[in-house]
């Protein structure tokens, strides 16, 4: 499993559109252009969403394959990760079928989307073991400390196999931004049962506290995901011009933190 990048950009997401910000990339051409700009601004990874002709969230292995090939050729060296997000449009069987067909090197998977109840564990376990056997690197999306506890228990019981794991902690939400965000220390505490495992973790955060949250993640040994999927605002509350502008602000903050360490 490849290590997570230091600074990943998530420029699109599944829900926002041009009505939210005219610079939010929707088409493949716009995504490639954004990848170029964000790499120059300091990102070393990109989290990818694709849309259908109407602009709606899409899971399509062929479309993903073509975009990955294009980005690999045009933006070499950039860590490429696809999403398996349901976004209210897909069920876990459809999500798993797309991933099995694509066999991506890197994909984000929401644990609560794979396992909505105990009856979902047999299919989920088979999928997680398939992913390990086929070198599909999963970044597990965990939205709360309760999700982290579920993840830790699953690892301890070999429902999610392997000695190495990648995680994304999510702070805040679309509806309320950073309001009601939970401190990162509360996400990290439930990992104690799998302390012997190698955990590579990252944070994304909604709203105007995004920059501060990502700096705090770096202080605690984590990595950062920035971009319009989660926030379009700078630390001073101003609206960012584009995704590259958000990358530049967070990159500068992380470099400042490293210099002061």
């Amino acid at each position: 499993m490849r290590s997570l990048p230091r600074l990943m950009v998530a420029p699109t997401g599944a829900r926002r559109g041009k009505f939210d910000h005219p610079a939010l990339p929707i088409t493949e051409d716009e995504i490639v252009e954004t990848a170029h700009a964000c790499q120059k601004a300091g990102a070393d990874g990109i989290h990818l969403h694709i849309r259908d002709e109407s602009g709606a969230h899409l899971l399509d292995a062929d479309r993903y394959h073509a975009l990955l090939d294009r980005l690999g050729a045009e933006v070499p060296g950039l860590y490429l990760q696809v999403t398996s997000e349901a976004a209210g449009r897909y069920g876990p069987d459809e999500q798993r079928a797309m991933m099995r067909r694509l066999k991506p090197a890197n994909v984000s998977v929401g644990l609560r989307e794979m396992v909505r109840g105990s009856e979902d564990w047999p299919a989920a376990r088979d999928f997680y073991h398939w992913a390990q056997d086929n070198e599909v690197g999963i970044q597990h999306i965990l939205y709360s400390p309760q999700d982290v506890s579920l993840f830790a228990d699953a690892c301890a019981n070999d429902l999610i196999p392997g000695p190495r794991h990648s995680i994304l902690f999510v702070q805040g939400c679309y509806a309320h931004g950073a309001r009601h965000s939970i401190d990162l220390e509360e996400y990290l505490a439930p990992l104690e049962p799998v302390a012997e495992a190698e955990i590579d973790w990252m944070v994304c955060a909604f709203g105007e506290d995004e920059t501060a949250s990502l700096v705090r993640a770096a202080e605690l040994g984590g990595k950062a995901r920035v971009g319009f999927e989660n926030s379009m605002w700078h630390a001073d509350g101003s609206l960012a011009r584009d995704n590259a502008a958000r990358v530049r602000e967070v990159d500068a903050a992380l470099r400042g933190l490293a210099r002061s360490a």
Side-chain angles (χ1 to χ4, degrees):
M1 179 184 294
R2 182 178 172 185
S3 296
L4 292 171
R6 162 186 166 271
L7 179 56
M8 181 186 292
V9 63
T12 304
R15 294 170 174 82
R16 287 180 169 146
K18 299 290 188 183
F19 50 85
D20 293 299
H21 197 298
L24 190 142
I26 299 294
T27 67
E28 277 84 350
D29 285 345
E30 290 173 336
I31 291 169
V32 172
E33 181 182 355
T34 296
H36 276 286
C38 290
Q39 187 179 47
K40 290 179 181 177
D44 51 355
I46 185 168
H47 171 73
L48 301 165
H49 286 254
I50 54 176
R51 304 292 182 89
D52 65 16
E53 290 71 18
S54 69
H57 172 63
L58 180 66
L59 295 182
D60 184 290
D62 292 336
R63 288 272 301 276
Y64 264 139
H65 193 280
L67 180 58
L68 291 169
D69 282 351
R70 185 175 172 188
L71 287 166
E74 297 190 33
V75 197
L78 198 64
Y79 177 105
L80 306 176
Q81 180 192 77
V82 303
T83 186
S84 66
E85 185 175 351
R89 190 174 186 183
Y90 297 97
D93 288 342
E94 295 168 296
Q95 294 168 275
R96 289 190 288 263
M98 186 279 293
M99 289 183 276
R100 288 178 187 272
R101 182 174 177 185
L102 181 61
K103 291 187 180 179
N106 308 294
V107 60
S108 63
V109 180
L111 180 60
R112 63 173 57 176
E113 292 183 352
M114 292 293 103
V115 182
R116 297 161 298 179
S118 59
E119 67 279 5
D120 294 327
W121 268 119
R125 180 195 179 281
D126 287 347
F127 166 71
Y128 289 126
H129 280 258
W130 168 87
Q132 178 176 259
D133 292 343
N134 286 273
E135 298 183 343
V136 172
I138 293 177
Q139 184 180 31
H140 303 274
I141 307 174
L142 306 176
Y143 292 89
S144 68
Q146 292 73 30
D147 280 3
V148 181
S149 293
L150 179 64
F151 170 79
D153 288 344
C155 292
N157 289 289
D158 197 41
L159 297 171
I160 298 177
R164 300 180 63 207
H165 302 285
S166 295
I167 294 173
L168 176 70
F169 297 132
V170 181
Q171 289 193 292
C173 63
Y174 280 107
H176 303 294
R179 206 182 326 153
H180 311 310
S181 281
I182 300 169
D183 290 342
L184 284 175
E185 290 85 347
E186 294 188 41
Y187 286 83
L188 292 168
L191 289 175
E192 287 300 322
V194 288
E196 72 282 357
E198 182 180 341
I199 304 292
D200 194 9
W201 62 275
M202 176 178 279
V203 170
C204 71
F206 287 85
E208 295 175 9
D209 288 344
E210 182 183 44
T211 299
S213 293
L214 300 184
V215 169
R216 182 57 179 154
E219 290 174 338
L220 294 172
K223 297 172 181 176
R225 195 183 91 173
V226 63
F228 282 7
E229 174 168 355
N230 301 111
S231 177
M232 301 179 289
W233 292 272
H234 290 310
D236 64 3
S238 63
L239 185 66
R241 177 180 177 179
D242 54 23
N243 277 283
R246 289 297 304 126
V247 170
R248 278 190 291 272
E249 177 173 282
V250 173
D251 180 60
L254 295 179
R255 290 182 186 278
L257 181 64
R259 285 193 297 270
S260 64

